[in-house]
Amino acid sequence: MEAWVLLGSFFVLILIGTPVAYAMGIAALIGAWWIEIPLDAVMIAIANGVNKFSLLAIPFFVLAGAIMAEGGMARRLVAFANVLVGFIRGGLSLVNILASTFFGAISGSSMADTASVGTVLIPEMEKKGYPRDFATAVTVSGSVQAILIPPSHNAVIYSLAAGGTVSIAALFIAGVLPGLLLGATLAVLCLWTAKKKNYPKGEVIPMKQALKICADALWGLMTMVIILGGILSGVFTPTESASIAVLWAFFVTMFVYRDYKWAETPKLVHRTVKTLSIVMILIAFAASFGYIMTLMQIPLQITTALTTLSDNRYVILALINLLLLALGTLMDMAPLILILTPILLPVIKSIGVDPVHFGMIMMVNLGIGLITPPVGGVLFVGAAVAKLPMEQVVKALLPFFGALLLVLIAVTYIPALSLWLPGLLL
């Protein structure tokens, strides 16, 4: 009965249009009242939820990504990717995916990736003879890489939702191979489609111009080296590397590229703070919601229920995937990570699945949710950038969903994809 009160009040609040963060906070208060826990305990849990040093990594990474996104970085990464693969048949679709790989390794945000890369490449692909809906589908699906490739904001949120027991550095490194596999799978699909539909080849960039483009992009690409190199060498923690990335992004944007006006900086910071305030409120209220769930022993009950259904880890992982895919279409990624991690972590530990590996499984699942209707935030951004009806974009996305599901199966049932690099480097 206790679980029904907590979860039922949460879903009722969602159905009547209450924002997810406030729905979790109010449901936690209702749950605390029902089990006769002092409301002061809920307030303490809310405060403790955001009183963590590692949380500073999120605002720094978001700010670094915002500076790079608005400072001309996306355009230069597109040009760099064009040098590498633009001359192949269907090359602009590969440029799109590769640019998302590079930009995702800087911004850590699928929405920023779709908006920045899509603004440059969707019109360009249409101009060169690609259908606009295909160009949008490539952009939207390619941006899912940003969730896996470090520095992923959602990996930080997962670590916090796991109670800090999962290393952020391990999650960052674990995302490299799954992210590259996702990009490679989408590239193969694009090459096959380009050959089947005879999409155009690009032109080979002259050597002198190519070297200039590469040199120009190198400044931004150094951000990846700073973030990963600092963490792997032990010089920086993930939080410290995020703050260094902000300083580097600011230096490159304002003093090297000089495409961004100083007068626009306060507006950029204001937009970043506005985004972060929503994230921090969500994390704070999710902490109280998780606290009440733990007191009600909801994670234990769900673990018992799932392990009663089957003792086969592969079957349980398949059931969890189906659950995550279904919920990912109905709710945004961050609240789902915060709600589901405390519930599912005991389940996966009981069947011998590494929490870092499970983090990657969750990221791929919920990443697919970001581009799936009816609540796919990245899908909405892509459709808005392309100025296309969402239904048309979804139809074009169908083959890409197949590719993403293949990646999900590989990441779920081949643990080495997630665990080999962290074991080697950390």
Side-chain angles (χ1 to χ4, degrees):
M1 184 63 183
E2 294 173 346
W4 287 110
V5 170
L6 178 69
L7 299 177
S9 59
F10 171 71
F11 286 116
V12 168
L13 288 164
I14 291 291
L15 288 173
I16 63 174
T18 309
V20 174
Y22 297 113
M24 283 194 287
I26 295 169
L29 290 172
I30 294 171
W33 169 76
W34 184 263
I35 60 175
E36 300 180 349
I37 295 294
L39 298 186
D40 291 356
V42 178
M43 299 300 110
I44 292 170
I46 290 171
N48 288 340
V50 289
N51 187 25
K52 293 180 173 69
F53 177 75
S54 56
L55 262 180
L56 286 172
I58 296 176
F60 283 130
F61 280 133
V62 171
L63 181 56
I67 294 170
M68 288 293 195
E70 299 191 24
M73 174 51 52
R75 178 167 50 82
R76 288 172 172 86
L77 289 175
V78 167
F80 177 60
N82 193 41
V83 169
L84 298 178
V85 294
F87 57 90
I88 303 168
R89 182 170 301 282
L92 267 185
S93 59
L94 300 186
V95 169
N96 196 319
I97 293 166
L98 191 56
S100 288
T101 307
F102 293 142
F103 193 75
I106 292 170
S107 72
S109 166
S110 288
M111 287 194 182
D113 190 329
T114 297
S116 301
V117 175
T119 302
V120 177
L121 270 175
I122 291 174
E124 183 65 18
M125 288 179 71
E126 185 180 35
K127 181 180 173 183
K128 297 294 185 183
Y130 295 81
R132 194 172 185 84
D133 56 357
F134 174 78
T136 309
V138 174
T139 304
V140 168
S141 57
S143 70
V144 177
Q145 294 174 94
I147 293 164
L148 296 166
I149 295 173
S152 168
H153 313 150
N154 292 291
V156 179
I157 293 173
Y158 172 77
S159 174
L160 293 168
T165 58
V166 184
S167 162
I168 295 174
L171 289 168
F172 278 3
I173 304 306
V176 172
L177 289 182
L180 293 177
L181 174 65
L182 193 153
T185 306
L186 294 176
V188 170
L189 175 60
C190 287
L191 286 171
W192 179 80
T193 306
K195 185 176 180 180
K196 182 181 177 183
K197 299 190 176 181
N198 199 32
Y199 288 153
K201 287 185 179 181
E203 297 178 358
V204 176
I205 307 293
M207 180 61 72
K208 186 176 180 181
Q209 186 182 350
L211 290 173
K212 184 179 178 182
I213 290 170
C214 293
D216 206 24
L218 188 61
W219 291 95
L221 293 172
M222 277 297 296
T223 311
M224 294 185 288
V225 177
I226 291 169
I227 294 169
L228 286 179
I231 294 171
L232 290 176
S233 64
V235 175
F236 309 135
T237 65
T239 303
E240 291 164 348
S241 72
S243 61
I244 298 296
V246 169
L247 294 175
W248 178 258
F250 187 80
F251 168 74
V252 171
T253 299
M254 295 303 189
F255 297 102
V256 179
Y257 293 155
R258 292 181 289 184
D259 286 349
Y260 200 73
K261 297 178 182 178
W262 286 88
E264 296 293 319
T265 306
K267 294 179 182 178
L268 175 86
V269 174
H270 177 264
R271 286 193 296 273
T272 303
V273 170
K274 187 176 178 181
T275 300
L276 288 169
S277 64
I278 297 168
V279 174
M280 293 304 176
I281 290 170
L282 184 63
I283 290 171
F285 287 146
S288 65
F289 190 79
Y291 171 68
I292 300 300
M293 279 200 305
T294 302
L295 292 179
M296 291 180 173
Q297 296 188 325
I298 292 174
L300 179 61
Q301 293 171 31
I302 291 175
T303 302
T304 304
L306 279 173
T307 51
T308 301
L309 285 173
S310 174
D311 58 359
N312 187 312
R313 74 156 69 179
Y314 301 111
V315 173
I316 292 175
L317 284 173
L319 292 172
I320 289 174
N321 277 340
L322 290 173
L323 173 68
L324 291 173
L325 285 171
L327 292 176
T329 66
L330 301 173
M331 283 181 65
D332 210 357
M333 188 169 189
L336 277 175
I337 292 173
L338 291 164
I339 293 168
L340 294 176
T341 301
I343 293 174
L344 295 177
L345 212 55
V347 178
I348 64 102
K349 285 181 178 177
S350 70
I351 59 173
V353 175
D354 191 286
V356 173
H357 176 207
F358 180 65
M360 295 304 105
I361 295 172
M362 181 175 272
M363 297 299 153
V364 178
N365 271 296
L366 301 184
I368 294 171
L370 287 179
I371 64 171
T372 307
V375 192
V378 174
L379 174 63
F380 293 151
V381 172
V385 169
K387 298 177 182 176
L388 287 174
M390 191 174 70
E391 297 81 4
Q392 188 176 345
V393 179
V394 171
K395 186 177 179 181
L397 269 169
L398 291 178
F400 293 89
F401 284 131
L404 290 169
L405 289 173
L406 286 176
V407 173
L408 173 60
I409 292 168
V411 170
T412 300
Y413 295 114
I414 308 175
L417 283 172
S418 304
L419 301 178
W420 180 70
L421 268 183
L424 182 68
L425 300 175
L426 297 178

